[in-house]
Amino acid sequence: MFDQITLSNGLRVIGERLDHVRSVSVGLWLGAGSQYEIPPEAGISHFLEHMAFKGTEKRNARQIAEEMDAVGGQLNAFTSKECTCFYAKVVDENLPLAIDVLSDLATAPKFDPAELEKEKGVVIEEIAMAEDSPEDVVHELIMLAHFGDQPVARPILGSEERVSSFTRDDLYTYWHNMYAPQQAVLALAGHYDWQAVVALAEKHLLAWQGGPQPRRDTQTHPVRPTRLAREKDVEQMNLCLGFPGVAIGGERSYEFSLVNSVLGGSMSSRLFQKIREESGLAYSIYSYPNSYTDCGLMTIYAAARPDSLAQVVDMTLREVRALGEKGMTRAEFDMARQQLRAGYILGQESTSARMNAAGRRLLLLNKTRSEEEVIAAIDSLTFEGVNELARELLCAEPSLALVGKDARKALGGLNI
């Protein structure tokens, strides 16, 4: 079970104590992500995350790195569509330092103008690196093809033009409005003393207030799927097909995972076996589920030679439609459910995975779910229910994104 408290400033603190380990993972989760940015701010959540590591009111960039390295700790952060997380993993005796540093990063970034200009170059290089990868480009393109010009479809990194334009005032205003304790969660998993954790949270985070602006409400609306192509001088055609998905947190999310596993989420999946193993038409082919608080997407990715593209698309759609119309077999269902169950249990051996699950769920859904509840939910999945969801999702019209040489011409020749 979880330890949990809400501080007087609205910050939620949640912990899962594990007596059999000596480490502890801790993350400070914030309700700031690309989905809450207006167009002029595109990429600012991610850029702000970078800038926090360039110095705070108490520490410069070198001190931030050296203090954690000195105790053998791990320190990092990430930005997603719906949240930002600063996190650390340390030996239990160094938890006070970890909470101190994470609190400092989130609540007291300095936004030094000289460091800001240097970090623009770093993030622009990150954008260029993603642009150099056709696989990254096509995954971004399928979001636009499936959701249209809605916040969920916009790249987390933003664009070179937007990042180049950010000022210190832009960062400060966004940080002041979006980094607020009422929109944040401090999550822990591992070996700790709960009363000490509460005392540390109060010491470092109780004075934190944040700005007056609440978390921005967004609502993703269904749109008609489209087909988009990007020209890129590469040897392979990079393809994504998009089908409807399931939002995060619902009971159907486990059914969603099973459908994905049978379709293309494992080495025994239909797409991997049919297109790679039996036909040898693609080295890389897989599917994966994306779930957000108000929408979801099932994506299939494949990379193939231009002269094999039409055949790969045809075979992929045949497998998708067969699964949607006829459903999976009982043997496939049993195997996929066991994969999901085992994967979850194995993941629970990681303090980082436990911290991530608790922090993300409490931040985005304001709920918790114990290990026993998750396993019970997986065990209760039914053959009929999973096949019903497969029909609902995979019989829909797909979106399509294509990246490669002469991609627009190739797109026109596909029969979908």
Side-chain angles (χ1 to χ4, degrees), residues 14 21 26 40 57 84 117 123 135 172 247 254 274 288 311 318 324 333 338 344 351 361 404 411 413:
I14 185 170
V21 300
V26 54
E57 296 299 330
T84 299
E117 291 305 316
V123 174
E135 188 170 351
Y172 181 82
Y254 300 112
K274 186 70 175 180
Y288 63 95
Q311 190 177 0
R318 262 189 277 152
F333 169 78
Q338 185 58 32
Y344 174 75
T351 59
R361 188 173 182 85
L411 182 64

Side-chain angles (χ1 to χ4, degrees), residues 74-361:
Q74 302 167 8
L75 177 67
N76 214 327
F78 67 82
T79 304
S80 70
K81 301 283 185 181
E82 298 184 291
C83 62
T84 299
C85 179
F86 297 91
Y87 61 93
K89 184 174 183 178
V90 293
V91 176
D92 52 7
E93 64 197 46
N94 297 313
L95 180 60
L97 173 64
I99 292 179
D100 181 7
V101 172
L102 294 178
S103 303
D104 202 22
L105 290 171
T107 68
K110 196 171 183 179
F111 301 140
D112 179 83
E115 293 294 339
L116 186 149
E117 291 305 316
K118 286 192 290 185
E119 200 62 21
K120 284 181 181 180
V122 173
V123 174
I124 287 170
E125 286 299 319
E126 186 177 358
I127 293 170
M129 183 171 65
E131 183 64 26
D132 281 345
S133 166
E135 188 170 351
D136 287 353
V137 173
V138 79
H139 287 302
E140 290 288 359
L141 198 60
I142 194 63
M143 295 291 290
L144 187 61
H146 196 82
F147 293 111
D149 187 20
Q150 298 189 81
V152 72
R154 295 170 191 157
I156 294 168
L157 300 182
S159 66
E160 179 178 348
E161 178 185 9
R162 293 313 316 157
V163 170
S164 298
S165 72
F166 292 150
T167 65
R168 186 181 189 279
D169 286 345
D170 294 332
L171 287 176
Y172 181 82
T173 299
Y174 188 80
W175 167 77
H176 181 69
N177 289 339
M178 299 299 288
Y179 278 41
Q182 302 90 341
Q183 304 174 43
V185 168
L186 180 68
L188 304 94
H191 193 260
Y192 61 79
D193 175 82
W194 179 242
Q195 294 306 316
V197 167
V198 173
L200 287 167
E202 290 177 338
K203 175 182 177 181
H204 295 291
L205 292 164
L206 189 59
W208 179 28
Q209 294 302 317
Q213 183 169 322
R215 180 176 174 179
R216 293 170 181 156
D217 292 327
T218 62
Q219 185 173 0
T220 305
H221 302 282
V223 298
R224 183 176 177 82
T226 58
R227 302 171 189 176
L228 300 175
R230 279 276 307 275
E231 298 294 326
K232 191 164 283 289
D233 189 10
V234 291
E235 293 300 316
Q236 290 183 306
M237 284 293 182
N238 291 258
L239 167 80
C240 276
L241 290 164
F243 292 86
V246 171
I248 191 174
E251 293 303 319
R252 304 198 86 182
S253 61
Y254 300 112
E255 295 177 340
F256 190 31
S257 293
L258 255 68
V259 173
N260 172 69
S261 182
V262 172
L263 178 62
S266 67
M267 289 180 66
S268 63
S269 67
R270 293 189 179 191
L271 291 177
F272 190 91
Q273 288 296 315
K274 186 70 175 180
I275 294 172
R276 173 173 162 150
E277 298 297 279
E278 294 180 21
S279 304
L281 291 173
Y283 170 77
S284 182
I285 182 162
Y286 56 84
S287 66
Y288 63 95
N290 269 339
S291 292
Y292 307 102
T293 52
D294 64 350
C295 64
L297 172 67
M298 174 77 82
T299 301
I300 298 168
Y301 168 80
R305 298 188 311 271
D307 59 0
S308 301
L309 177 66
Q311 190 177 0
V312 168
V313 171
D314 181 63
M315 292 176 66
T316 298
L317 289 174
R318 262 189 277 152
E319 293 300 320
V320 170
R321 287 162 182 157
L323 182 56
E325 293 168 5
K326 299 177 183 178
M328 65 186 68
T329 66
R330 176 71 68 170
E332 286 175 321
F333 169 78
D334 290 339
M335 182 186 295
R337 184 168 62 175
Q338 185 58 32
Q339 286 174 342
L340 180 61
R341 192 179 194 275
Y344 174 75
I345 292 171
L346 292 174
Q348 290 297 95
E349 296 184 1
S350 162
T351 59
S352 298
R354 285 178 178 262
M355 181 278 290
N356 272 281
R360 186 186 300 272
R361 188 173 182 85

